[in-house]
Amino acid sequence: MTSSSPPAPASNFLRTIIDNDLTQGRYADKRWAGRPGPAAVQAQGEPDTARIRTRFPPEPNGYLHIGHAKSICLNFGLARDYGGACHLRFDDTNPEKEEDEYVHAIIDMVKWLGFDWHYANENNCYFASDYFGFMYQFAEALISAGLAYVDEQTADEIRATRGTLTEKGSNSPWRDRPADESLRLLREMRDGQHPDGSMALRAKIDMSSPNMNMRDPVLYRIRHVPHHRTGSAWCIYPMYSWAHPVEDALEGITHSICTLEFEDQRPFYDWILNHLADLGQLAHPLPRQHEFARLNLTYVITSKRKLLQLVREGRVSGWDDPRMPTLAGLRRRGYTPSSIRLFCERLGVSKSDSRIDYSLLEQALRDDLDPIAPRAVAVLDPIKLVLTNYPEGQTELCHAPGNPHDPQAGTREFPLSRELWIERDDFREEPPKKYFRLFPGNTVRLKYGYIVRCTGCIKDEHGNVTEVHAEYLPDTKSGTPGADSVKVKGNITWVSAAHAVSAEVRLYDRLFMDPHPDAGDRDFLQALNPDSCRVQQAWLEPGVQAVPGTVWQFERLGYFVADREDSTPEQPVINRAVTLRDSWAQKS
């Protein structure tokens, strides 16, 4: 049921970089003590058996989304393919937004995608907060070397003196204060003797640099806020641009792979590492940063702030709402780890920003599920079909393949009886042109059953059709010699009314109607799709077991999954993961 053949694997320029590094032996002399640490620790280690080390460094301030999946697959995949290690590191340097809930959710999703941070006997799951002591030690070393100073300007004053893209910045009046004075003040900051915002530690680089990231960037700020892991042990916290390279070096990372927005930060990344290595704090060879284009998907927002707004305002049911682009939401909707990995593989890796059409994600799921998903029949908008000449009380079994692509899936069987449920759309009293399903006088095949001839319908007092009548042709059952004796153009699905399983079916669609819901100054809430979730009471083929997480292809309708949270065998709740074909192609 796929609409296109799988494309060839896309290119990945990072592999060329890694191949060259390995050929040149760039990291051949790297030592690893089996744990993160500065130069003195790593000097005691053995030669690193991991050919490369990468890392996936999420901040635990929200749930992972589809954009993170690209980075996860890239970093863990490269480490796997090159006989290396990928570290899972939580960049928890901002205590105001980070929570243990997010840590556990991130761990869950990385595992769900099929990746692991163990290498040999190492458990390479780390936290930036593990390194607060090292970072502080390094900050004092920079001050002592005349490479950092404590600034008493306010945040607004620092911002105002940074200059612009066309104008140089101006030096802080505290830039040339003696190192021993800056050391004293930094220790006072650490010990909680100064209020928030009253002081900051800045690197001393070049206020006239054309790269504004090199204009004496802030290393530490004061925040009297408890941390989710360290409690109140610290009241100064490192800025990400300072913490990021230090963490990489402490962990012996070889290839620090970031998205393109960090490209302008690379000179500062190198400045920190080179100076700390010169001061004997970090060991060579040092990590190198490489940037790639992040995943931008149509009809999706990935801003954690905006996703959190959707959750807090109740516009979705939670972080795992099946309409959300979070990995938890995609999992609940019915996406499989292999489909997401396939999607990321097809995208490839480049240095050029682009927006990927959402249909490519949906097609990856279809391609993944089509060969493996068991088939079943569901009637989502039921109307009763009565076979008026079929004996009352009689039933007989019909047979269908479990999956037409998998002979080992065998066959499934289900009963046919006098009264059936069919889709309301499969009957028209006055059919349009090229309508080949049920209408008075027309014949169609009940899929896997008999050919039937429509004889009319019953209506209520408002003129609404409440029941369709037909006669079955006894010698035309599928799989019998008479199956081809009557030629028909229409084929409809059905379930026996006496045997069908009742279920709540949630028809999920894209959360936004606009392909670029938050572009420019748009209010993304105005682009919400009012039909992103429709709930219907449906009838399922008997024998369908709604065990949470079970996936089926409901014939003619799409791929569906039993909801992980709400479904029970007694009261099935079924989510539509994706339609059989891209229904949005005709809309755009």
Side-chain angles (χ1 to χ4, degrees), residues 372-517:
I372 62 172
R375 272 38 172 183
V377 170
V379 177
L380 303 186
D381 186 14
I383 188 171
K384 186 165 286 187
L385 171 66
V386 178
L387 304 181
T388 56
N389 64 334
Y390 195 88
E392 290 193 33
Q394 178 175 310
T395 61
E396 60 185 289
L397 292 177
C398 296
H399 299 84
N403 183 318
H405 303 303
D406 181 9
Q408 295 185 351
T411 60
R412 64 189 204 271
E413 59 181 28
F414 41 87
L416 180 141
S417 60
R418 176 184 172 89
E419 295 186 356
L420 311 174
W421 292 115
I422 63 170
E423 292 287 352
R424 189 174 302 273
D425 193 47
D426 283 342
F427 172 77
R428 289 285 186 274
E429 190 175 13
E430 297 180 2
K433 290 183 178 180
K434 297 185 178 180
Y435 184 86
F436 300 120
R437 285 166 276 174
L438 285 171
F439 57 87
N442 193 43
T443 54
V444 301
R445 177 172 293 283
L446 300 177
K447 194 171 185 182
Y448 310 119
Y450 292 98
I451 290 175
V452 300
R453 179 181 296 110
C454 183
T455 58
C457 63
I458 296 177
K459 300 180 183 180
D460 62 18
E461 65 273 18
H462 303 294
N464 299 313
V465 176
T466 59
E467 193 171 279
V468 180
H469 286 181
E471 295 179 345
Y472 86 109
L473 307 186
D475 296 325
T476 60
K477 187 177 181 182
S478 293
T480 67
D484 298 327
S485 60
V486 179
K487 302 298 181 184
V488 296
K489 294 183 178 180
N491 204 327
I492 65 172
T493 50
W494 54 274
V495 293
S496 169
H499 304 87
V501 176
S502 176
E504 176 184 306
V505 174
R506 299 169 180 174
L507 300 176
Y508 289 108
D509 206 338
R510 300 180 188 183
L511 186 57
F512 295 99
M513 296 182 294
D514 191 319
H516 313 296

Side-chain angles (χ1 to χ4, degrees), residues 37 54 78 115 126 129 204 215 276 287 310 321 375 442 479 485 534 540 553 576:
T54 60
L78 288 172
F115 296 106
Y126 304 113
S129 52
K204 186 186 291 188
R215 295 180 186 176
L276 289 177
L310 291 173
D321 187 299
R375 272 38 172 183
N442 193 43
S485 60
R534 292 184 289 116
L540 311 182
Q553 184 198 99
R576 181 173 67 189

